[in-house]
Amino acid sequence: MRFLLTGGAGYIGSHTCVSLLDAGHEVVVLDNFVNSCPEAIARVEKIAGKSITLYEGDCCDAAFVSSVFDKEHIDGVVHFAGLKAVGESVRIPLNYYQNNLGATMTLCRVMAEHHVKRIVFSSSATVYGDSKEVPFNESLPMGECTNPYGWTKWMSERIMRDIAFADPEWTVVLLRYFNPVGAHESGLIGEDPSGIPNNLMPFICQTAAGVRDKLSIFGNDYPTPDGTCVRDYIHVMDLADGHVKALEYAMDHQGTEIFNLGTGEGYSVYQMVAAFERANHLTLPHVDAPRRPGDIAVSYADPAKAKAVLHWQAKRTLDDMCRDAWNWQSRNPHGYRQA
Ligand code: NAD
Ligand code: UDP
């Protein structure tokens, strides 16, 4: 099969490219490199020993997206393209709504015009809001998001469900990711945040590398066993493998399906720090700091549906996540850029 990955040069997209190529599929990537670079694709090709067709351009540009579908035979699409920085989305919400919803609507319209109606979408556990019922199960009602980024995921889900409802030829697979961390075991590809990172693991890695003096732990008075927030961290290669299963599922099903992609295990921030120190034999300077606005206390997945229907489950351990994240960081202290 030949799949189009919008945003395929990004963190999760590049790892998914590897998994798809390893599974014998062909990959076409569309990316405007607003948060990535072509070097990631070159490195994917090196890992997989196979080539990728790459189109540089904006997913909101209908003429450009249409030209890609005119040139390529595409069996299905994974739609990763989007802006993802939560704090930035609060400061410049219109950019987020315009880019993330614009990309989703443009893509779906062009796909329909080209009779390609199978899409897998990068959604997020953030659409559950601050649900009191954990683990999060796909049948829970969608919640209130705490920032514009989250609402773009919530609204994109809604838009795609409505498209599939109106036209039963569509297949929409909504993947709700929990907290992707780690990197391909080769250390050739990984997460390369531009500027100040948003997420815990890049902060941990930069602290271990000495780029930052110490890690701030945001809040130790949450109603959790050790007072710090609990999340479901998932190795990015497990997540990537989940996309292969989701695409293969989409090829012979119709309608909308939602799957959590998580491990089902929750770890606190203190536990993450301890795991990183243990896996990599180092000490991580850290300090307790005030809560970060908008954080919820506990989030972890019920991954049973993905296991039952997609025959997928996360295999890699917390030690694998910490080791592979550090392997990528220490081999590429400047990410994909040269020193
Ligand atoms: P990323 O920023 O590394 O990748 C996104 C890619 O999309 C980048 O390569 C970027 O250049 C591209 N892009 C953005 N807007 C575009 C546009 N208009 N046209 C073309 N390309 C565009 O992020 P990621 O971590 O790989 O996340 C991939 C997807 O998964 C995103 O939609 C993100 O919101 C979602 N997601 C990520 C996480 C996470 O923690 N990383 C969690 C839940 C959901
Ligand atoms: N966190 C932290 N220090 C940091 C970055 C994050 O203590 O420098 C905490 C954050 O408050 C949250 C957890 O780590 O409790 C995971 O944060 P992340 O942003 O990675 O994921 P999200 O909160 O979006 O699920």
Side-chain angles (χ1 to χ4, degrees):
M1 295 282 175
R2 192 167 171 80
F3 297 120
L4 174 70
L5 274 53
T6 72
Y11 172 45
I12 303 169
S14 56
H15 289 81
T16 302
C17 287
V18 173
S19 291
L20 284 168
L21 292 171
D22 284 352
H25 299 296
E26 294 174 10
V27 174
V28 178
V29 166
L30 179 166
D31 205 302
N32 64 0
F33 303 121
V34 68
N35 197 37
S36 57
C37 59
E39 175 64 14
I41 298 296
R43 301 225 187 153
V44 168
E45 290 177 324
K46 192 170 169 193
I47 294 168
K50 293 177 183 167
S51 62
I52 285 176
T53 308
L54 176 60
Y55 291 92
E56 180 173 355
D58 195 322
C59 199
C60 301
D61 176 349
F64 164 69
V65 180
S66 198
S67 74
V68 173
F69 280 87
D70 288 341
K71 283 183 223 133
E72 302 288 339
H73 169 85
I74 301 292
D75 293 300
V77 177
V78 190
H79 181 34
F80 294 106
L83 300 174
K84 64 163 184 175
V86 169
E88 186 181 64
S89 82
V90 176
R91 280 198 310 281
I92 43 172
L94 205 46
N95 289 23
Y96 274 69
Y97 288 116
Q98 199 139 24
N99 188 72
N100 293 4
L101 300 182
T104 298
M105 289 189 285
T106 302
L107 175 66
C108 290
R109 192 175 285 284
V110 171
M111 286 175 66
E113 285 163 6
H114 289 79
H115 308 288
V116 180
K117 297 185 179 178
R118 297 176 197 279
I119 189 165
V120 173
F121 176 63
S122 297
S123 190
S124 166
T126 194
V127 302
Y128 290 113
D130 192 3
S131 169
K132 297 290 171 263
E133 256 181 76
V134 279
F136 296 165
N137 173 295
E138 294 87 344
S139 57
L140 280 174
M142 290 167 82
E144 289 284 313
C145 298
T146 53
N147 56 75
Y149 162 75
W151 284 114
T152 69
K153 293 296 169 195
W154 197 106
M155 290 178 198
S156 287
E157 282 203 8
R158 187 72 254 167
I159 290 166
M160 281 182 269
R161 287 168 76 113
D162 288 345
I163 291 171
F165 180 77
D167 176 356
E169 286 180 6
W170 274 87
T171 307
V172 169
V173 180
L174 305 172
L175 298 180
R176 293 180 178 165
Y177 309 156
F178 281 70
N179 290 61
V181 294
H184 188 264
E185 60 177 11
S186 65
L188 282 172
I189 57 172
E191 186 166 15
D192 183 17
S194 54
I196 300 169
N198 297 289
N199 301 110
L200 178 63
M201 189 56 97
F203 268 113
I204 288 181
C205 287
Q206 291 192 359
T207 307
V211 178
R212 294 173 190 283
D213 287 347
K214 46 176 90 83
L215 176 79
S216 294
I217 297 186
F218 298 144
N220 61 5
D221 57 350
Y222 285 97
T224 60
D226 67 18
T228 64
C229 292
V230 168
R231 296 288 182 275
D232 184 337
Y233 297 93
I234 175 170
H235 195 296
V236 68
M237 285 308 301
D238 278 331
L239 193 68
D241 293 341
H243 290 75
V244 178
K245 298 286 191 189
L247 275 169
E248 290 172 354
Y249 170 88
M251 287 305 110
D252 52 14
H253 290 83
Q254 279 170 330
T256 301
E257 279 299 342
I258 304 172
F259 297 101
N260 285 337
L261 294 185
T263 64
E265 295 281 342
Y267 292 100
S268 74
V269 182
Y270 283 155
Q271 285 177 312
M272 289 303 286
V273 170
F276 192 88
E277 291 182 329
R278 185 180 63 235
N280 296 310
H281 313 290
L282 46 75
T283 307
L284 204 64
H286 57 274
V287 62
D288 290 330
R291 288 184 178 197
R292 184 174 69 175
D295 274 345
I296 63 171
V298 179
S299 160
Y300 61 95
D302 175 352
K305 185 177 173 192
K307 185 177 180 190
V309 180
L310 300 180
H311 310 295
W312 169 89
Q313 78 186 109
K315 297 194 189 81
R316 291 158 179 91
T317 64
L318 190 57
D319 274 19
D320 296 333
M321 301 178 210
C322 293
R323 196 196 51 234
D324 291 339
W326 180 234
N327 183 40
W328 152 256
Q329 169 75 40
S330 44
R331 283 171 187 251
N332 306 270
H334 305 281
Y336 291 111
R337 291 165 296 279
Q338 300 296 320

